[in-house]
Amino acid sequence: MKKLIVLAVAMMLCLCACTANVTSTVTTEPTVSESETHTVVGGWTLNDDETVGALPADAQAAFEKAMEGFVGVGYTPVALLGTQVVAGTNYAILCKATTVTAAPETSLKVLIIYADLEGNASITDILDFNLTDYTDGSTEISAEMLAGGWFVPEEFSVVNLPADAGAAFTKATEGFVGNNLEPLALLGTQVVAGTNYAILCHSSLVTAEPVNGIVVVTIYADLSGNATITSISAINVADLLA
């Protein structure tokens, strides 16, 4: 009888140990850390190239002056979206924002920087830039896209895209007429049955009076080497400020 009791107790202890091991396995199962997912926005992975910024000299000077002593978030300029002449100049600069934290978070922001006539500059607004808002847009681009008193320069420095994005852009724009598109930066990629590329471009409509603007061109490249433009969405700084 005593042997049976001892055996029963031993079996119960063994069962408890097994249960504890199962619980431990469940609670310690590895998960994807925040640092591994912070660049993913709506299925788009932001470009992690830190050298994409190429601002005109005056905009670069205003950016550097405004960022003096700014802490907590690091901003890497991507492109100048437009300027607005006031008693001085407002600059709308698209930036990649990275938090200075143990698990950095990256996003796209638009900094509105005011530079006065004495050489001072300060950030007057920080606006969210949601890439998904510009990757399902229309190819209907018109002169109305620059409403609000913001001016886009006629010329921009064209950047060298990563090889795969550059090849997709070249393929997709073969025979494209009516709008001269010049790439400024790769904003993000999205893996589907192939790859979607979100490319920031300078746009110049081929009209009697050329209309310049900044747009996000979405290009789909399939697995067979074909590429097509799926959308072109204009960026209007006035809309961002609304």
Side-chain angles (χ1 to χ4, degrees), residues 19 24 29 32 73 80 98 103 109 127 138 159 179 186 194 220 224 238:
T19 303
S24 176
E29 183 179 348
V32 178
V73 179
L80 175 67
T98 305
K109 301 286 185 181
L127 310 172
S138 169
V159 301
N179 190 351
L186 173 65
Y220 168 65
S224 301

Side-chain angles (χ1 to χ4, degrees), residues 12 21 41 60-61 131-132 149 160 175 180 182 187 190 204 207:
M12 291 178 63
N21 287 336
V41 181
Q60 181 67 35
L131 186 57
T132 58
N160 293 318
N180 293 327
E182 298 179 340
L187 297 183
Q190 184 184 53
S204 181
T207 57

Side-chain angles (χ1 to χ4, degrees), residues 32-50 96-99 103-108 129-132 187-190:
V32 178
S33 67
E34 183 178 359
S35 62
E36 294 174 326
T37 62
H38 70 270
T39 60
V40 178
V41 181
W44 288 84
T45 301
L46 300 184
N47 179 26
D48 60 2
D49 183 0
E50 292 287 352
K96 185 170 65 174
T98 305
T99 59
E105 296 181 3
T106 302
S107 60
L108 292 172
F129 187 91
N130 188 348
L131 186 57
T132 58
L187 297 183
T189 58
Q190 184 184 53

Side-chain angles (χ1 to χ4, degrees), residues 79-147:
L80 175 67
L81 299 184
T83 59
Q84 184 184 53
V85 177
V86 285
T89 305
N90 285 322
Y91 296 91
I93 301 174
L94 179 64
C95 296
K96 185 170 65 174
T98 305
T99 59
V100 184
T101 55
E105 296 181 3
T106 302
S107 60
L108 292 172
K109 301 286 185 181
V110 176
L111 299 187
I112 305 298
I113 294 176
Y114 168 66
D116 65 21
L117 301 177
E118 282 74 44
N120 304 303
S122 59
I123 298 172
T124 59
D125 211 343
I126 300 176
L127 310 172
D128 291 330
F129 187 91
N130 188 348
L131 186 57
T132 58
D133 291 342
Y134 297 91
T135 51
D136 189 26
S138 169
T139 55
E140 297 292 330
I141 304 298
S142 69
E144 298 301 321
M145 65 185 180
L146 292 183

Side-chain angles (χ1 to χ4, degrees), residues 55 57-68 74-78 91 93-95 111 113 115 121 123:
L55 300 179
D58 56 337
Q60 181 67 35
F63 175 82
E64 292 177 357
K65 187 69 175 178
M67 293 307 298
E68 290 178 357
Y75 288 96
T76 302
V78 174
Y91 296 91
I93 301 174
L94 179 64
C95 296
L111 299 187
I113 294 176
I123 298 172

